[in-house]
Amino acid sequence: MNRTIEANFFPQAVESIKENACILIIDNNRDFTRSAKLALERTGRYFVCEENDASKAHQTAQGLKPDLILLDIAMPETDGGEVAAWIQTDPALHRIPIVFLTALVTAAEGRAGLRIHGHPFLAKPISLPALIKGIEENLPARSAF
């Protein structure tokens, strides 16, 4: 997989992204995104970027071109459904898998295979093992760089 990154937009990503799956977390809760980023990066398998402003999420995704997007549904002003629609209509991004994060449904509903706007979801609060499992189940196969 060849990835073009705007070096000025995400300079720290250039080296890390060559080895690890790139995950973009879009959630207005900074504490959640920070703790998820740190926990996922500690595994050594992921490079994680955070976006806490839903109105900037599309631009961030365009600059990063992540392998997978974790997207909160309930955010102020712009909800996750709108962000997902922007991403899906962008020819450069429409193939990136989106996994919704939400406290609006239960983990049992997620395990039952229910989808929101055609996307899988993970119920909040979420444990690190459940988050990793959700990422791995939806992460596209990666080819060597």
Side-chain angles (χ1 to χ4, degrees), residues 1-5 14 17-23 64-68 92 95-97 138-145:
M1 170 186 289
N2 247 344
R3 181 185 319 283
T4 304
I5 269 195
V14 175
I17 208 161
K18 291 178 184 173
E19 301 170 9
N20 301 326
C22 180
I23 309 296
L64 186 61
K65 301 216 180 19
D67 295 305
L68 182 130
R95 288 197 169 111
I96 297 171
N138 293 285
L139 196 61
R142 293 170 44 90
S143 60
F145 288 94

Side-chain angles (χ1 to χ4, degrees), residues 49-127:
C49 282
E50 309 166 59
E51 180 55 71
N52 301 114
D53 184 344
S55 67
K56 296 179 183 176
H58 184 227
Q59 178 184 2
T60 301
Q62 285 176 321
L64 186 61
K65 301 216 180 19
D67 295 305
L68 182 130
I69 296 171
L70 297 173
L71 177 58
D72 187 25
I73 291 178
M75 294 183 286
E77 297 176 32
T78 306
D79 71 19
E82 290 176 86
V83 173
W86 295 336
I87 290 168
Q88 289 179 305
T89 59
D90 185 325
L93 304 175
H94 75 277
R95 288 197 169 111
I96 297 171
I98 296 171
V99 177
F100 282 120
L101 302 171
T102 183
L104 304 174
V105 294
T106 66
E109 290 170 317
R111 287 190 300 273
L114 297 177
R115 296 170 92 67
I116 299 172
H117 297 290
H119 300 283
F121 65 86
L122 301 171
K124 288 179 173 180
I126 187 163
S127 68

Side-chain angles (χ1 to χ4, degrees), residues 3 11 13 16 19-20 28 35 48 50 91 114 128 131 133 135:
R3 181 185 319 283
S16 184
E19 301 170 9
N20 301 326
N28 63 298
S35 62
V48 181
E50 309 166 59
L114 297 177
L128 180 60
L131 183 59
K133 181 179 180 202
I135 289 169

